[in-house]
Amino acid sequence: MKEKVTIYDIAKALNITAATVSRALNNNPKISEATRTLVIETAKKMNYEQNRFALALKSGKSNNVGVVVPFINRNFFSSIIRGIEEELYPKGYHVIICQTHEDTKKEEETVQNLLNAQVDGILMSVSKTTQQLRHFKKVLKSNTPLVFFDRIKEIDGVSTVTIDDFQGGYIATKHLIDMGCTRIAHATVDLALDIYKYRFEGYKEALNDHGIPFKEEYIIKTKSDIDAGEKAIKKLMKLKNAPDAIFSASDFAALGAIQELTKLGVKVPNEFAVVGFSNEPFTQFMELSITTVDQSPVEMGKMAARVFLEQMKEPTLKIMKKVELSPELIVRKSSSSLTAKQQTNI
Amino acid sequence: MKEKVTIYDIAKALNITAATVSRALNNNPKISEATRTLVIETAKKMNYEQNRFALALKSGKSNNVGVVVPFINRNFFSSIIRGIEEELYPKGYHVIICQTHEDTKKEEETVQNLLNAQVDGILMSVSKTTQQLRHFKKVLKSNTPLVFFDRIKEIDGVSTVTIDDFQGGYIATKHLIDMGCTRIAHATVDLALDIYKYRFEGYKEALNDHGIPFKEEYIIKTKSDIDAGEKAIKKLMKLKNAPDAIFSASDFAALGAIQELTKLGVKVPNEFAVVGFSNEPFTQFMELSITTVDQSPVEMGKMAARVFLEQMKEPTLKIMKKVELSPELIVRKSSSSLTAKQQTNI
DNA sequence: TTGTATGCGTTATCAA
DNA sequence: TTGATAACGCATACAA
């Protein structure tokens, strides 16, 4: 049975009162050194363990934080969660995870559930389909710290941790330009999401900075999967003035693009260079490894956790912090025959 | 502020007592229909939400379960967690995740923490290094349901969910035999872990069933990474009677093997067939896709969750259940030029 | 059917 | 320095 030892048991054993035991256990200054050590010793002897529910009821804090992502088994998100867990565990917090399946309805419900469970904070990446912000306002109203990572919404009072997607798009495109490409296409996913919008803008800016005219026909809106990449290439290669490179906002689409190019007999990277985005694990494992932009998701998770912790330190004032991490270009074979050799060593 | 509405507030507003409110809200039969609806309505109107801490303190149940894995950002584990979450969320449970980093010390500490947090159950995959079982005994003694998945320890009273690794090893090896291979090597990882031991035994049994003599020199103990696979091939191909196939208990080692074979000019699969294990995402994305054994991790997670739920239904009796899922061979290019075409469509 | 009283395990306030 | 008591919010045994 769950015969847990309470401070009353200790008190009884020592012929003192529970209040004294509590004080001894909590480093309360108003207690003699003698009783303190005595209490601590017998507590250990009796295998005392604090009842967290009672503490939670008393203090109003659960020492749990909720993390909400579309799917946990996506490398990007599970890596972020890893970062969060590693940062928060040593501070005594437990991480509760929930998935939205990219469904706003589920997201709203989940957030409400987390609030009901009285988590001390919510860290999340918003679903693609989310437009309404009611549920986030509710979180703020309940005075629970809210931190967005990667996929954010601009809400007053909500801290955010992102990578600089604009810069990501910029360095990816600039790299292709540096490699001698002049007709650079771009595969984007969903311009309603800021991350894709900014990558697109970085792409345009890089073209502009290097005197390459922007061409609407080079922009393909796709999904983030292999099939989408194949279709994109099919469409692009039919153009009169077909591109000689593509910057894909998705690694999966980049992979599909490469497969389709190979099928069409177009040599990658010599005749056509490809750059993806996200540094999915598979990009480095391919025989033709894929150049991509790393988002350091573990670091992003740690940062989100740190922002939360900061907020907890100052429960009175509303801190609103915007952290932007720098993306890193990882050059591999799909865009650079020269560096191919160096990048093979995994 | 966190001015939460309590049942006392509702009681006051309705000029009744908190007990009545509580009864109305909990579908207690001892109450009139009239007051019930009245209470429920005003509760909704006042935005009442149950305080979970009070409930937890009263009932001793947190509605949280702890899930412990070595690393959450491994595809296999994050997929299991996904399954657990999807099964448990609808039942009102929240999933707390913790990582052990394959460190027994951390594992012990984590389990203790979870116990302190008074989770209603612990679902876990044990760390590679774990020998001592003290911390598991503690869980049982506290009467908390414990379910092991994939990497298990035999402990009385602990339910387990695994895949049939023996069968996995068997069908992988049999497939290679069916493809005409006769000198089949095996790369294993850590025979101290049951999963690898059973895969190895399945391999031996398959050889035996088909009249192929077992050769100690074909067995390589490696790590589960690319480098290990390369080293394994280097060693194997130096043998007088070099193998013509390898069944690797790790997809990563299988990939390393393929890379090294390619470097050595050995044609895969025509001259040498390779089969991995786990169905890591990258295995299907390679140009030379890798034949592997799928463990249906999401299903495994769901099953572990279901076993936990069953246990919760019967808190009085100790249920001990052993569930074994069937692995599925996924034939791809690395072992079968014939089926290569069909398997390309991802 | 409803009200009263108590306990779940802690911590904090006040008094001694 | 320690003890007594109340409070956190809820559920329930018992009384009415």
Side-chain angles (χ1 to χ4, degrees), chain B residues 31-70:
Chain B
I31 196 167
S32 76
E33 198 52 44
T35 43
R36 159 174 296 135
T37 50
L38 180 65
V39 167
I40 291 178
E41 261 173 38
T42 48
K44 198 167 286 173
K45 212 177 301 171
M46 295 175 72
N47 282 320
Y48 168 75
E49 257 141 36
Q50 199 185 39
N51 184 317
R52 309 298 280 269
F53 301 152
L55 188 67
L57 177 58
K58 187 80 183 146
S59 68
K61 288 173 34 58
S62 65
N63 281 303
N64 289 151
V65 304
V67 174
V68 185
V69 295

Coordinates of all heavy atoms in Angstrom, one line a residue, chain B residues 31-70:
Chain B
I31 N -28.8 13.9 -5.2 CA -29.1 15.3 -5.4 C -30.3 15.5 -6.4 O -30.5 14.6 -7.2 CB -27.8 16.0 -6.0 CG1 -28.0 17.5 -5.8 CG2 -27.6 15.6 -7.4 CD1 -26.7 18.2 -6.0
S32 N -31.0 16.5 -6.2 CA -32.2 16.8 -7.1 C -31.7 17.3 -8.4 O -30.7 18.0 -8.5 CB -33.1 17.8 -6.4 OG -32.6 19.1 -6.6
E33 N -32.5 16.9 -9.4 CA -32.1 17.3 -10.8 C -32.1 18.8 -10.9 O -31.3 19.4 -11.6 CB -33.2 16.7 -11.7 CG -32.7 16.7 -13.2 CD -31.3 16.0 -13.3 OE1 -31.1 15.0 -12.7 OE2 -30.5 16.6 -14.0
A34 N -33.0 19.5 -10.2 CA -33.1 20.9 -10.3 C -31.8 21.6 -9.8 O -31.2 22.4 -10.6 CB -34.3 21.4 -9.4
T35 N -31.4 21.3 -8.6 CA -30.2 21.9 -8.1 C -29.0 21.6 -9.0 O -28.1 22.4 -9.2 CB -29.9 21.5 -6.6 OG1 -30.1 20.1 -6.5 CG2 -30.8 22.3 -5.7
R36 N -29.0 20.3 -9.4 CA -27.8 19.9 -10.2 C -27.7 20.8 -11.4 O -26.6 21.4 -11.7 CB -28.0 18.4 -10.7 CG -27.2 18.2 -11.9 CD -27.2 16.7 -12.3 NE -26.6 15.9 -11.3 CZ -27.1 14.7 -10.9 NH1 -28.2 14.3 -11.4 NH2 -26.5 14.0 -10.0
T37 N -28.7 20.9 -12.2 CA -28.6 21.8 -13.4 C -28.3 23.2 -13.0 O -27.5 23.9 -13.7 CB -29.9 21.7 -14.2 OG1 -31.0 22.0 -13.3 CG2 -30.1 20.4 -14.9
L38 N -28.9 23.7 -12.0 CA -28.7 25.0 -11.5 C -27.2 25.3 -11.2 O -26.6 26.2 -11.7 CB -29.5 25.4 -10.3 CG -29.3 26.8 -9.7 CD1 -29.9 27.8 -10.7 CD2 -30.0 26.9 -8.4
V39 N -26.7 24.3 -10.5 CA -25.2 24.4 -10.1 C -24.4 24.4 -11.3 O -23.4 25.2 -11.5 CB -24.9 23.3 -9.1 CG1 -23.4 23.2 -9.0 CG2 -25.5 23.5 -7.8
I40 N -24.6 23.4 -12.2 CA -23.8 23.2 -13.4 C -23.8 24.5 -14.2 O -22.8 25.0 -14.7 CB -24.3 22.0 -14.2 CG1 -23.9 20.7 -13.4 CG2 -23.6 22.0 -15.5 CD1 -24.4 19.5 -14.1
E41 N -25.0 25.1 -14.3 CA -25.1 26.3 -15.1 C -24.3 27.5 -14.5 O -23.5 28.1 -15.2 CB -26.6 26.7 -15.2 CG -27.3 26.3 -16.5 CD -28.8 26.6 -16.5 OE1 -29.1 27.6 -15.9 OE2 -29.5 25.7 -17.0
T42 N -24.5 27.7 -13.3 CA -23.8 28.8 -12.7 C -22.3 28.6 -12.6 O -21.5 29.5 -12.7 CB -24.3 29.1 -11.2 OG1 -24.4 27.9 -10.5 CG2 -25.7 29.7 -11.3
A43 N -22.0 27.3 -12.5 CA -20.5 27.0 -12.5 C -19.9 27.4 -13.8 O -18.9 28.0 -13.9 CB -20.3 25.5 -12.3
K44 N -20.7 27.1 -14.9 CA -20.2 27.5 -16.2 C -20.1 29.0 -16.3 O -19.2 29.5 -16.9 CB -21.1 26.9 -17.3 CG -20.5 26.8 -18.7 CD -21.3 25.9 -19.6 CE -21.2 24.5 -19.3 NZ -22.1 23.6 -20.1
K45 N -21.2 29.6 -15.8 CA -21.3 31.1 -15.9 C -20.1 31.7 -15.2 O -19.6 32.7 -15.6 CB -22.6 31.5 -15.4 CG -23.2 32.7 -16.0 CD -24.6 33.1 -15.5 CE -25.6 32.0 -15.6 NZ -26.8 32.2 -14.9
M46 N -19.8 31.1 -14.1 CA -18.7 31.7 -13.3 C -17.3 31.3 -13.7 O -16.3 31.6 -13.0 CB -18.9 31.4 -11.8 CG -20.2 32.0 -11.2 SD -20.5 31.5 -9.5 CE -19.3 32.5 -8.6
N47 N -17.3 30.5 -14.8 CA -16.0 30.0 -15.3 C -15.3 29.2 -14.2 O -14.0 29.2 -14.0 CB -15.1 31.2 -15.7 CG -15.4 31.7 -17.0 OD1 -15.8 30.9 -17.9 ND2 -15.4 33.0 -17.2
Y48 N -16.0 28.4 -13.6 CA -15.4 27.5 -12.6 C -14.6 26.4 -13.2 O -14.9 25.9 -14.2 CB -16.5 26.8 -11.7 CG -16.0 25.7 -10.9 CD1 -15.3 26.0 -9.7 CD2 -16.1 24.4 -11.2 CE1 -14.7 25.0 -8.9 CE2 -15.6 23.3 -10.5 CZ -14.9 23.6 -9.3 OH -14.4 22.6 -8.6
E49 N -13.4 26.2 -12.6 CA -12.6 25.1 -13.0 C -12.0 24.4 -11.8 O -11.5 25.0 -10.9 CB -11.4 25.5 -13.9 CG -11.7 25.3 -15.3 CD -11.2 26.4 -16.2 OE1 -10.2 27.0 -15.8 OE2 -11.8 26.8 -17.2
Q50 N -12.2 23.1 -11.8 CA -11.8 22.3 -10.7 C -10.3 22.4 -10.4 O -9.4 22.5 -11.3 CB -12.0 20.8 -11.1 CG -12.1 19.9 -9.9 CD -12.2 18.4 -10.4 OE1 -11.6 18.1 -11.4 NE2 -13.0 17.7 -9.7
N51 N -10.0 22.6 -9.1 CA -8.6 22.7 -8.7 C -8.0 21.2 -8.6 O -8.4 20.4 -7.8 CB -8.5 23.4 -7.4 CG -7.0 23.5 -7.0 OD1 -6.2 22.6 -7.1 ND2 -6.7 24.7 -6.5
R52 N -7.1 21.0 -9.6 CA -6.6 19.6 -9.7 C -5.7 19.2 -8.5 O -5.5 18.0 -8.2 CB -5.8 19.4 -11.0 CG -6.5 19.9 -12.2 CD -7.8 19.1 -12.4 NE -7.5 17.8 -13.0 CZ -7.5 17.7 -14.3 NH1 -7.8 18.7 -15.1 NH2 -7.3 16.5 -14.8
F53 N -5.1 20.2 -7.9 CA -4.2 19.9 -6.7 C -5.0 19.4 -5.6 O -4.6 18.4 -4.9 CB -3.4 21.1 -6.3 CG -2.6 21.7 -7.4 CD1 -2.3 23.1 -7.4 CD2 -2.1 20.9 -8.4 CE1 -1.5 23.6 -8.4 CE2 -1.3 21.5 -9.4 CZ -1.0 22.8 -9.4
A54 N -6.1 20.1 -5.3 CA -7.0 19.6 -4.2 C -7.5 18.2 -4.5 O -7.5 17.4 -3.6 CB -8.2 20.6 -4.1
L55 N -7.9 18.0 -5.7 CA -8.4 16.7 -6.1 C -7.3 15.7 -5.9 O -7.6 14.6 -5.4 CB -8.9 16.8 -7.6 CG -9.6 15.5 -8.1 CD1 -10.9 15.4 -7.3 CD2 -9.8 15.6 -9.6
A56 N -6.1 16.0 -6.4 CA -5.0 15.1 -6.3 C -4.7 14.8 -4.8 O -4.5 13.6 -4.4 CB -3.8 15.7 -7.0
L57 N -4.7 15.8 -4.0 CA -4.4 15.6 -2.6 C -5.5 14.7 -2.0 O -5.2 13.8 -1.2 CB -4.5 17.0 -1.9 CG -4.3 17.0 -0.4 CD1 -2.9 16.3 0.0 CD2 -4.3 18.4 0.2
K58 N -6.7 14.9 -2.4 CA -7.8 14.1 -1.8 C -7.8 12.7 -2.3 O -7.9 11.7 -1.5 CB -9.1 14.8 -2.3 CG -10.4 14.2 -1.7 CD -10.6 14.7 -0.3 CE -11.8 14.1 0.3 NZ -11.7 13.9 1.7
S59 N -7.6 12.6 -3.6 CA -7.7 11.2 -4.2 C -6.4 10.5 -4.3 O -6.4 9.2 -4.4 CB -8.2 11.4 -5.6 OG -7.2 12.0 -6.5
G60 N -5.3 11.2 -4.1 CA -4.0 10.5 -4.3 C -3.6 10.2 -5.7 O -2.6 9.6 -5.9
K61 N -4.4 10.7 -6.6 CA -4.1 10.5 -8.1 C -3.7 11.8 -8.8 O -4.4 12.8 -8.6 CB -5.2 9.8 -8.8 CG -5.4 8.3 -8.4 CD -6.7 7.7 -8.9 CE -7.1 8.1 -10.3 NZ -6.2 8.0 -11.4
S62 N -2.7 11.8 -9.6 CA -2.3 13.0 -10.2 C -2.8 13.1 -11.7 O -2.7 14.1 -12.3 CB -0.7 13.0 -10.3 OG -0.2 12.0 -11.1
N63 N -3.2 12.0 -12.2 CA -3.5 11.9 -13.7 C -2.3 12.2 -14.6 O -2.5 12.7 -15.7 CB -4.7 12.8 -14.0 CG -6.0 12.2 -13.6 OD1 -6.3 11.1 -14.1 ND2 -6.8 12.9 -12.7
N64 N -1.2 12.0 -14.0 CA 0.0 12.1 -14.8 C 0.7 10.7 -14.9 O 0.7 10.0 -13.9 CB 1.0 13.1 -14.2 CG 0.6 14.5 -14.3 OD1 0.9 15.4 -13.5 ND2 -0.2 14.8 -15.3
V65 N 1.3 10.4 -16.0 CA 2.2 9.3 -16.1 C 3.5 9.7 -16.5 O 3.7 10.7 -17.2 CB 1.6 8.2 -17.0 CG1 0.2 7.8 -16.7 CG2 1.8 8.6 -18.5
G66 N 4.5 9.0 -16.0 CA 5.9 9.3 -16.4 C 6.4 8.4 -17.4 O 6.1 7.2 -17.4
V67 N 7.0 9.0 -18.4 CA 7.6 8.1 -19.5 C 9.1 8.4 -19.5 O 9.6 9.5 -19.6 CB 7.0 8.4 -20.9 CG1 7.8 7.7 -21.9 CG2 5.6 8.1 -20.9
V68 N 9.9 7.3 -19.4 CA 11.4 7.5 -19.3 C 12.0 6.8 -20.4 O 11.8 5.6 -20.6 CB 11.9 6.9 -17.9 CG1 13.4 7.2 -17.8 CG2 11.1 7.5 -16.8
V69 N 12.8 7.5 -21.2 CA 13.6 6.9 -22.3 C 15.0 7.4 -22.3 O 15.3 8.4 -21.6 CB 12.9 7.2 -23.6 CG1 11.6 6.6 -23.8 CG2 12.9 8.7 -23.8
P70 N 15.9 6.8 -23.0 CA 17.3 7.2 -23.0 C 17.4 8.7 -23.6 O 17.9 9.6 -23.0 CB 18.0 6.2 -23.9 CG 17.2 5.0 -23.7 CD 15.8 5.4 -23.6

